[in-house]
């Protein structure tokens, strides 16, 4: 799963630096973005699953939290103009991401702040610090989804 995440991230980086003039490329950008989020969802699930166990695997929590914190930095490149619903490609990204760019940037920033704290808490290995920070991070996922992602 770790290798999968790295692969998706690498593919995303290549796609996003290569395709500024979107057009046909929009579908690729969207697909890469969705893969990035899928990996992020899987990493977040790994953490939650571990925390439900009697003896959580700190190593798994740590690597997943690190992946999420890294995504929090790369996500800023995932939304080039033209990669929204107007592209005609299948995407759950709402047009508001671009029409309310300041609001969306604030949602990205809120997520980044909490994801970084999650990475730090996981690095410390202290479950008492990790648990509440998973909740705080999850709130910023939902906060963005509620406003900027089409409900599926
Ligand atoms: C700043 C906004 C934002 C934040 C923060 C955010 N997401 Fe998302 N997420 C989106 C958008 C927009 C999409 C739809 C992407 C598309 O379809 O093009 C999405 C899609 C997804 C998907 C579906 C991917 C697929 O298969 O198509 C998952 C899973 C997901 N996000 C999980 C998460 C998790 C977990 C977090 C927090 C750890 C998170 N997201 C934080 C905006 C956000």
């Amino acid at each position: 799963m770790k290798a999968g995440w790295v692969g998706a991230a690498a593919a995303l980086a290549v796609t996003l630096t290569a395709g500024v003039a979107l057009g046909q490329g929009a579908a690729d950008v969207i697909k890469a973005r969705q893969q990035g989020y899928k990996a992020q969802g899987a990493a977040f699930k790994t953490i939650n699953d571990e925390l439900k166990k009697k003896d959580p695997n700190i190593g798994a929590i740590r690597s997943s939290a690190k992946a999420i914190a890294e995504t929090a930095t790369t996500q800023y490149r995932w939304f080039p103009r033209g990669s929204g619903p107007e592209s005609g490609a299948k995407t759950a990204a709402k047009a508001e991401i671009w029409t309310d760019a300041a609001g969306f940037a604030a949602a990205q920033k809120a997520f980044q702040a909490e994801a970084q704290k999650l990475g730090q808490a996981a690095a410390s290995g202290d479950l008492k610090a990790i648990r509440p920070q998973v909740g705080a991070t999850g709130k910023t996922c939902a906060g963005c989804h509620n406003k900027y992602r089409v409900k599926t």
Side-chain angles (χ1 to χ4, degrees):
M1 198 202 70
K2 183 101 200 291
W5 187 86
V6 172
L12 189 67
V14 169
T15 308
L16 293 187
T17 43
V20 177
L22 282 180
Q24 290 288 326
D28 290 341
V29 169
I30 291 166
K31 203 182 276 172
R33 174 168 77 212
Q34 290 169 339
Q35 274 167 9
Y37 277 124
K38 206 175 265 183
Q40 178 158 275
F44 203 60
K45 183 177 186 305
T46 296
I47 296 175
N48 278 303
D49 287 350
E50 286 304 326
L51 291 177
K52 283 186 203 126
K53 294 179 186 167
K54 220 186 248 161
D55 188 15
N57 180 336
I58 292 289
I61 292 175
R62 203 173 271 154
S63 61
S64 296
K66 189 162 177 266
I68 291 171
E70 282 165 7
T71 301
T73 306
T74 50
Q75 54 151 355
Y76 291 105
R77 303 199 296 267
W78 291 3
F79 296 91
R81 201 166 274 283
S83 68
E86 76 283 8
S87 67
K90 198 167 177 279
T91 175
K94 284 190 184 171
E96 281 81 352
I97 289 171
W98 295 273
T99 57
D100 175 26
F104 185 68
Q108 288 180 303
K109 229 174 141 185
F111 165 60
Q112 185 180 25
E114 299 303 340
Q116 278 172 349
K117 281 191 224 160
L118 178 62
Q120 286 159 8
S124 81
D126 179 2
L127 287 171
K128 283 202 200 73
I130 294 168
R131 284 185 199 280
Q133 195 50 39
V134 170
T137 305
K139 269 189 198 146
T140 64
C141 309
C144 184
H145 290 165
N146 290 342
K147 269 175 114 167
Y148 300 104
R149 185 175 75 158
V150 176
K151 280 193 181 60
T152 46

